[in-house]
Amino acid sequence: AELADLEQRLRTTMEHAGADLQVIGPVRNVTDTAAYRAEQADLWMRSSMQVNALARAHGAAYFHFLQPNQYVPGSKPIGPKEAAVALAEGPFCYRDAVEEGYPLLIDRGARLNAAGVNFHDLTSVFRSEPRAMYSDACCHFTTPGYLRIAEAMADAVVEGLKQAPTP
């Protein structure tokens, strides 16, 4: 209840802030968080499709990657030491947003692939990695984590360029 009240006060403040749209963006009254997340996932997907079209129009390759996140269920074994750094509970942690939002992004990513966008879901890149890959309770990685992601991205780009039609 306290979180809902705080969110409503923030929304009311933003509606009456008087700042221009360049600062706050369009004001929207959101009462259904699930619908809002789906709407944002659709916007994310359409934006990727537009960037892909722009890249293709100019003869450039486009690759879109969804980064891993520790709150994606089953994506990584997290031991007690990593959990102490990488997992948080409570109303302001990222867990709910990831658990509710990432399935939408994964779904939209599959749609991107079906539409010809070179999309890569990296959420399972740490699936069998016992070492600590997360450095905080948000979404940042340890050096080995960044290196593993970079390797996966490089592999995808190399493979994608091999399969790309020559101009």
Side-chain angles (χ1 to χ4, degrees):
E2 184 179 333
L3 179 59
D5 179 59
L6 182 61
E7 183 175 343
Q8 186 55 49
R9 288 189 319 183
L10 176 61
R11 291 181 191 286
T12 300
T13 300
M14 293 301 288
E15 286 175 11
H16 299 96
D20 67 48
L21 293 179
Q22 290 179 332
V23 175
I24 63 169
V27 175
R28 301 209 40 250
N29 290 320
V30 177
T31 56
D32 182 345
T33 303
Y36 180 74
R37 285 194 173 116
E39 190 178 294
Q40 293 303 301
D42 289 340
L43 174 63
W44 177 83
M45 179 181 70
R46 289 191 314 271
S47 297
S48 185
M49 293 173 84
Q50 289 295 319
V51 173
N52 184 61
L54 182 63
R56 285 186 180 200
H58 292 279
Y62 171 68
F63 295 85
H64 183 160
F65 299 92
L66 179 59
Q67 79 175 48
N69 188 282
Q70 63 266 43
Y71 300 111
V72 174
S75 64
K76 183 187 183 309
I78 297 182
K81 189 174 180 181
E82 185 176 22
V85 172
L87 299 178
E89 298 290 334
F92 297 106
C93 77
Y94 294 97
R95 179 184 300 272
D96 290 344
V98 171
E99 288 180 349
E100 294 169 16
Y102 258 65
L104 300 173
L105 299 179
I106 291 166
D107 171 75
R108 298 322 185 271
R111 294 184 199 181
L112 287 170
N113 272 326
V117 175
N118 207 334
F119 174 83
H120 299 272
D121 176 358
L122 300 183
T123 57
S124 64
V125 74
F126 302 143
R127 187 170 305 255
S128 60
E129 178 57 66
R131 297 176 299 163
M133 296 283 119
Y134 294 102
S135 65
D136 64 21
C138 168
C139 51
H140 300 104
F141 307 99
T142 61
T143 298
Y146 281 115
L147 290 172
R148 179 65 194 102
I149 292 167
E151 289 169 359
M153 292 173 74
D155 290 346
V157 169
V158 167
E159 189 60 33
L161 293 176
K162 284 181 188 174
Q163 296 175 11
T166 54

